[in-house]
Every structure is written in C-alpha cells, then in structure tokens.
Amino acid sequence: MKSKSNATSKDLALAAGVSQATVSRVFRGEENVNAETRQRVLDAAKLIDYRPNALARAMRTSRLGVIGVVVARLSNPLYTEILCALNEVLAHKGLKVVLWDTEGTGEVAAIDAISQSLVDGLIFAAVTRNSPVLHEAIRASAPLVLINRTIDDLSCDQVSSDNHAGGRAVASYLLDHGKRRIGFISGSLDVSTVRDREAGFLEAMAERRQEIETSMIRRVPFSHESGRSAMQSLLDLSDPPDAVFCANDLLALGALDGAYERGCRVPEDCWIMGFDDVEQASWSTLSLTTVRQPVQKIVEDGVNLLLERLAKPALEPRRIVHPVDLMIRRSTARARLGSKDEAKT
C-alpha cells in the first residue's frame, strides 16, 4: 500500500541508505535507532515526500500511530507549551496527535476513543481527583499516563514537578526578605498542582510561625481576569499585602495588570510571584518571579512511559517527580533592572 505521495518505505530506505526494517522502527517510534540514523530517515522522508500509511501500519501492527492528548484551556499559556512539546516529541517518534480539552465532555470523549481503539494511548495533562471516567479507564487497563497534574490514589503512570517543594521555596523566599503580610491567589483544591503548591507554601509559613489571614486568600478560577480582580480586591483592603503568591503564572500575570490599574507599584509597593515559568514570565515588560517547571522533561518522560506501557502492558505503574527552580526577576526587586534574566536559587 503506497502513501499519498506514492513514495514507498522501500524508496525511503534507498534514499536514506538504511534497511526497510530501520525505516519501520523509526516510524514506530522505537528507541533502538540511534539519533543520527533516525534524523537521516526523517530528512530523507521530507526530501521524497514520504508519508507513512496509517491504515497499512494498523493492519501490520494493530496500532494506529495516534496518541490522544487531553489538556485544559489553551488560554493558559502553560498548556500551549505542553502541547507544543508533545507535538514535537510525538512527531519525532512518528506519531500523530488527537487533541481534546477538559471543557465540556473532552475527558469523556478521550476515554471513549481509547475504548473504541481510535487511539493507541492517552496523555492527560489536566485531570482532577473527581474524575470517575478516568478511574473506570484505569480499571479497564487502558494505556494512559498523567503529566503535570496527578492523582495520588490512581494506579497509573504519572509525571509531575515537585509542586510541594516549589510552594515551600516561595514561602521561604518571601519570608527571608522580610515579607510578612502575604496574600495568596489560588484555585480549586480538586487540582493536584494547587493542593501541593498550597500545602508546601503553608507548611513553610507555619514552620516560621507565620500565618495567612483568611482575608488575604482568594480562591478563583484559573484565568487572567480572575487574577486581575483578585489582586485588586486584596489591594482594596485597609491593610493590603506587601507580597502576593499566585498559584500559577496565568493568575500572576492578571495580578500584575490588576496592580498596575490600581496604581500599585510592583515591586516597590508589593511583590508578586507566580508558578510555572511560562514564556511570558520572562518578557522584559513583565519580568515575573516564578517557579520553573521542566516542561520538556515532563513531556519526554510522559511519552516514554506511555510507549513502554504500550509495549509491556503488565509493567508496574511508575511515578516520576522532577525538581523545580525558583526564577528571580524584577517583580520581586531582586534582579537588577535591565539584567538579561533571572538568578536561580
């Protein structure tokens, strides 16, 4: 069966100077091909416009070469970065992506797709602990992996950052620099990233005999507008905060705008910190101090765990937790104005 361009795998093998078996291994995403050979095959495929025939491969291997991906709303730049990384890693392994978001019935649609063998496996970048369809999929031994957000009592492969340590690092940094009236803009506790960041943050505060007043906490949806309005409500207090920790960068970027609109100078009047280190956080006009998640590593590990799961379904569930870095920028006044970027701690 020929591809749309009429170039066959035999043609590609000749063009790349490899065997047809090597071509097959490259487009199945197998790891036992060295990087130089893999790149030579991919370059030759572009040159002769070779396109692997998904139907032929499915008939030979019972695999479609398609991975389903579930993310939260792409208005959050973190999920845009995760999706771009997933596309790159999966394409490098000769795999295609089908995308769903968690708005509406996206999670249910993804589970339906795996149950009907419309995708080979699933990567969830956004889950909550109240997810009955996900628990059902695990009981049915569906091949899937959770990245970014996790569920502690779910028996499946999971990859995340050390969100708890990141929350602790934020609290320690603020307290070490004399901040005592600290505000906190957070989200739903159904989300593991929120729970873990908040737990680490409050734990480190308590160890230093510091507490956050109830009036200084805002629990809001994850959006720029929520961060903006929450920040303004904190600044409207009779005794406003001298620092604000936002549970993710999207909220923090909104908080920066909210402070600007209220005439609050950042960092002179109030420090603002986020979590994730999305691309916008390092823009010179924003220069947001935040906690960096290693998105590329998380994605690579998630894809590798899923492919291993597909090859060996009986593997015990694995859990990988990556360390995080505190990125110091101008929103906390500890990076020099005009400096290229950030200091890690």
Side-chain angles (χ1 to χ4, degrees):
M1 300 180 70
K2 293 188 176 182
S3 65
K4 294 179 181 179
S5 67
N6 294 323
T8 66
S9 61
K10 183 177 181 180
D11 297 328
L12 177 55
L14 289 171
V18 300
S19 68
Q20 281 185 267
T22 297
V23 168
S24 296
R25 287 198 296 272
V26 169
F27 282 94
R28 284 199 300 267
E30 294 184 9
E31 297 298 323
N32 59 340
V33 181
N34 68 55
E36 182 181 349
T37 300
R38 184 186 305 278
Q39 194 58 51
R40 188 162 75 248
V41 170
L42 295 176
D43 290 343
K46 291 180 181 179
L47 185 65
I48 69 172
D49 194 24
Y50 171 78
R51 303 168 196 171
N53 190 301
L55 178 59
R57 175 165 60 181
M59 292 174 65
R60 290 194 308 270
T61 67
S62 299
R63 298 271 178 82
L64 297 171
V66 180
I67 301 298
V69 173
V70 181
V71 298
R73 292 198 306 186
L74 293 178
S75 56
N76 184 340
L78 173 67
Y79 288 104
T80 303
E81 293 182 13
I82 288 174
L83 182 58
C84 287
L86 279 168
N87 269 322
E88 179 183 350
V89 172
L90 290 169
H92 183 70
K93 296 179 180 296
L95 300 168
K96 294 181 173 60
V97 173
V98 175
L99 177 67
W100 292 275
D101 67 39
T102 53
E103 296 297 300
T105 59
E107 191 175 272
V108 174
I111 298 298
D112 284 346
I114 194 69
S115 67
Q116 297 176 45
S117 300
L118 299 178
V119 295
D120 295 326
L122 294 172
I123 298 174
F124 285 85
V127 294
T128 65
R129 58 186 175 186
N130 299 321
S131 179
V133 292
L134 193 55
H135 285 270
E136 290 174 13
I138 295 297
R139 285 194 291 270
S141 299
L144 58 85
V145 61
L146 309 186
I147 64 173
N148 180 45
R149 296 181 185 176
T150 59
I151 299 178
D152 289 338
D153 61 350
L154 202 62
S155 180
C156 68
D157 298 322
Q158 306 188 47
V159 187
S160 67
S161 293
D162 194 339
N163 292 288
H164 187 274
R168 287 186 59 89
V170 169
S172 296
Y173 175 75
L174 292 175
L175 294 175
D176 286 347
H177 290 94
K179 302 302 177 181
R180 293 296 181 268
R181 189 162 175 77
I182 301 173
F184 185 34
I185 302 176
S186 190
S188 170
L189 290 174
D190 285 335
V191 176
S192 66
T193 50
V194 172
R195 289 196 308 276
D196 293 344
R197 293 168 192 179
E198 187 167 324
F201 180 70
L202 295 178
E203 179 183 280
M205 293 280 289
E207 288 175 2
R208 302 274 289 270
R209 294 181 170 80
Q210 298 294 322
E211 293 184 2
I212 296 183
E213 299 174 14
T214 303
S215 64
M216 301 288 278
I217 299 174
R218 299 291 182 274
R219 198 170 299 283
V220 298
F222 284 143
S223 71
H224 179 278
E225 174 56 29
S226 294
R228 185 188 71 84
S229 59
M231 183 68 188
Q232 291 183 343
S233 72
L234 290 173
L235 293 175
D236 288 342
L237 295 172
S238 58
D239 188 9
D242 58 7
V244 174
F245 172 40
C246 301
N248 72 7
D249 283 351
L250 183 60
L251 291 174
L253 295 175
L256 285 172
D257 279 347
Y260 174 78
E261 292 171 8
R262 278 289 190 272
C264 172
R265 299 170 302 163
V266 177
E268 292 87 351
D269 300 328
C270 182
W271 286 14
I272 294 177
M273 297 184 68
F275 203 115
D276 287 334
D277 196 31
V278 299
E279 179 185 354
Q280 292 87 338
S282 65
W283 291 358
S284 58
T285 52
L286 300 172
S287 194
L288 175 69
T289 293
T290 185
V291 178
R292 172 177 290 175
Q293 293 201 78
V295 169
Q296 188 69 30
K297 291 180 181 178
I298 290 171
V299 165
E300 289 173 356
D301 283 345
V303 170
N304 288 335
L305 289 183
L306 180 60
L307 295 182
E308 290 171 12
R309 174 69 52 195
L310 288 169
K312 299 177 181 178
L315 285 172
E316 288 296 315
R318 283 84 40 95
R319 178 76 184 266
I320 299 174
V321 180
H322 285 283
V324 294
D325 289 310
L326 189 57
M327 312 305 292
I328 311 304
R329 300 193 179 101
R330 200 170 58 245
S331 71
T332 59
R334 293 296 159 181
R336 290 181 293 107
L337 281 172
S339 63
K340 169 62 180 174
D341 197 9
E342 56 270 21
K344 291 186 182 181
T345 64

